[in-house]
Amino acid sequence: MTTRAGFVALIGEPNAGKSTLTNRMVGAKVSIVTHKVQTTRTRIRGVAIEGDAQIVFVDTPGLFVPRRRLDRAMVKAAWGGAADADVIVLLIEAHRGVTEGVKRIVDGLKDMPQGQTVALAINKIDRVKAETLLALSQDLNERHAFAQTFMISAEKGHGVDDMRRWLADQLPEEPWLYPEDQIADLPMRMIAAEMTREKLTLRLHQELPYQLTVETEHWEERKDGSARVDQVVYVARDGHKGIVLGHKGETIKAISKASREELEEFLGRKVHLFLQVKVRENWLDEAERYSEMGLDFRDGD
Ligand SMILES: Nc1nc2c(ncn2[C@@H]2O[C@H](COP(=O)(O)OP(=O)(O)O)[C@@H](O)[C@H]2O)c(=O)[nH]1
Ligand SMILES: [Mg+2]
C-alpha cells in the first residue's frame, strides 16, 4: 500500500485563524486560540489523517512587523516553518482583505524555495458576502500564482474537508511520520504550559499577556493515576504579579481551575495543578525562556 506524508505550514497575519484551522483539521485542540493577536509563539505540529495520507499541519506564529526580541524570534520561526514545508497555506481574513500586512507576506513568499506549492485560504467567510470573496480571490491571485484557492470558515468548518483532501493529494509518497494515534508533536509539559497561557491571555487585559510566559517546572506521575503539575508564570514587573494573582488570589485561582479542567480532559485523568507567579524583569532577554517556548534565542538578534 502506498502512503503519503508531509508538512503543511499555515501562515498569515496574527489572528487569521491559523490555530483554529489546525485544531479543526486535527479534530482536537492542539494549539491555543484567543481573540488576541500573537497568541501562538512557536511552531506547533498537529497531525491529521486523510485517507492514506498523514498531514502534519504546522501552525506558526503570525507574521507581522516585529519590534521586540521575542517578536523577531516568532516571525523567524514562522518563516522557517514555511520554508521547510511541502505545502504552504496562506490564510487571509475575508473581512479584512488585502491589508498592508498581507501585502508584506505575499512579498515574502518570493523568498520561499523554488517550486514550493503555495495555496490560498480565505478564512472567516461566515463574516462576508459572496461577492466580496470573488473580488478578493481575484485580487490575491493577481498578486501571486497560488496553486489553489479555498474559501473556508475554520471556526464553522465550511470548506475544510475539501481543503484537507486537496492537501493530502499534494504530499509526496512517503511512510507516515508519526504513529497513527498521535495528534500533536509537542511535549506534554509544553502543551500544559500553553493551556495555562491561553487562560491567562483570555483573562488579562492589554499588554500583560505579551509580557508573561508559562513554564512547566515539574511533572509527577502519581501512583493513583493522577498527575501533579507545577508551573511558573513569569512576569516582567512587580505590578504585573499583583494583577495576575488578583484580589485575594482570585484571578490566579480561576485561571488555575480552568487550565486544570482542560488538562484533565485532554489527559482523561485527574490533575493537581499548582501555579506560582514569579517576577523576572529580564525574562524576555533570557535564552532559557526561549528554548522552553521552542524558539531560537538567536533568531531574535
Ligand atoms: N468568524 C470567524 N472567526 C474565526 C474563524 N476562524 C478563527 N476565528 C476567530 O479568530 C480569532 C483568532 O483565531 P486564531 O486561530 O487564534 O488565529 P491565529 O492567530 O491565526 O492562530 C479567534 O477569536 C477565532 O475564534 C472563522 O472562520 N470565522
Ligand atoms: Mg495562533
Side-chain angles (χ1 to χ4, degrees):
M1 192 181 104
T2 60
T3 58
R4 295 175 183 280
F7 295 90
V8 173
L10 306 177
I11 64 166
E13 284 193 277
N15 250 356
K18 301 173 292 295
S19 300
T20 306
L21 184 61
T22 301
N23 295 337
R24 166 72 63 182
M25 288 293 191
V26 171
K29 186 164 156 188
V30 294
S31 195
I32 64 173
V33 172
T34 80
H35 56 288
K36 301 207 173 140
V37 297
Q38 295 161 41
T39 301
T40 310
R41 285 186 178 161
T42 188
R43 280 167 288 196
I44 310 247
R45 289 173 177 178
V47 188
I49 289 169
E50 175 66 42
D52 60 4
Q54 190 174 55
I55 315 172
V56 184
F57 285 92
V58 185
D59 182 17
T60 65
L63 295 164
F64 58 102
V65 180
R67 283 176 298 137
R68 307 181 298 173
R69 176 169 202 126
L70 176 61
D71 300 341
R72 286 192 292 275
M74 282 161 46
V75 169
K76 271 265 178 71
W79 278 119
D84 292 342
D86 296 281
V87 181
I88 297 176
V89 177
L90 170 60
L91 255 82
I92 303 284
E93 283 174 285
H95 61 288
R96 291 186 65 227
V98 185
T99 59
E100 285 308 308
V102 167
K103 286 182 198 164
R104 264 192 298 271
I105 297 170
V106 170
D107 211 45
L109 288 172
K110 294 190 191 79
D111 301 327
M112 291 296 103
Q114 280 281 316
Q116 198 179 23
T117 305
V118 185
L120 173 68
I122 300 177
N123 187 32
K124 309 196 186 182
I125 58 166
D126 53 292
R127 296 190 60 164
V128 296
K129 296 206 182 85
E131 306 91 81
T132 329
L133 287 175
L134 291 176
L136 181 56
S137 164
Q138 208 163 11
D139 182 347
L140 283 157
N141 276 280
E142 277 163 18
R143 293 171 191 271
H144 188 87
F146 293 104
Q148 190 70 267
T149 299
F150 297 93
M151 315 242 183
I152 63 166
S153 170
E155 194 164 82
K156 311 263 187 273
H158 305 308
V160 296
D161 290 341
D162 280 346
M163 184 173 161
R164 189 167 46 221
R165 275 192 288 273
W166 183 84
L167 289 168
D169 286 341
Q170 310 310 308
L171 300 182
E173 283 187 13
E174 294 279 355
W176 285 7
L177 298 152
Y178 295 96
E180 203 171 333
D181 56 358
Q182 188 166 342
I183 56 166
D185 182 5
L186 203 63
M188 202 49 233
R189 45 188 290 132
M190 239 175 107
I191 294 180
E194 286 286 278
M195 282 176 184
T196 300
R197 196 164 60 79
E198 180 189 77
K199 307 308 171 212
L200 287 157
T201 305
L202 289 170
R203 189 125 185 157
L204 302 170
H205 302 292
Q206 290 154 9
E207 282 296 300
L208 227 170
Y210 309 110
Q211 312 264 359
L212 60 80
T213 189
V214 182
E215 292 178 15
T216 302
E217 279 212 322
H218 190 69
W219 187 297
E220 182 194 333
E221 297 294 342
R222 289 192 165 168
K223 281 202 191 80
D224 62 4
S226 67
R228 181 196 161 115
V229 181
D230 288 89
Q231 296 181 330
V232 180
V233 180
Y234 288 109
V235 295
R237 275 185 254 146
D238 228 16
H240 291 173
K241 181 171 173 174
I243 299 170
V244 173
L245 293 174
H247 180 61
K248 291 184 180 162
E250 273 162 14
T251 306
I252 195 79
K253 222 182 274 173
I255 287 164
S256 176
K257 179 170 181 281
S259 181
R260 173 181 52 79
E261 285 170 354
E262 189 166 331
L263 193 53
E264 285 181 335
E265 181 160 333
F266 192 90
L267 295 170
R269 56 203 171 97
K270 203 166 167 50
V271 172
H272 310 273
L273 177 64
F274 296 89
L275 297 184
Q276 209 188 335
V277 185
K278 283 189 189 166
V279 182
R280 196 122 170 178
E281 271 168 38
N282 296 320
W283 77 261
L284 277 152
D285 292 307
E286 289 173 353
E288 202 191 331
R289 305 281 83 74
Y290 285 67
S291 53
E292 280 287 331
M293 280 185 265
L295 290 171
D296 192 331
F297 184 66
R298 286 159 308 175
D299 279 348
D301 282 343

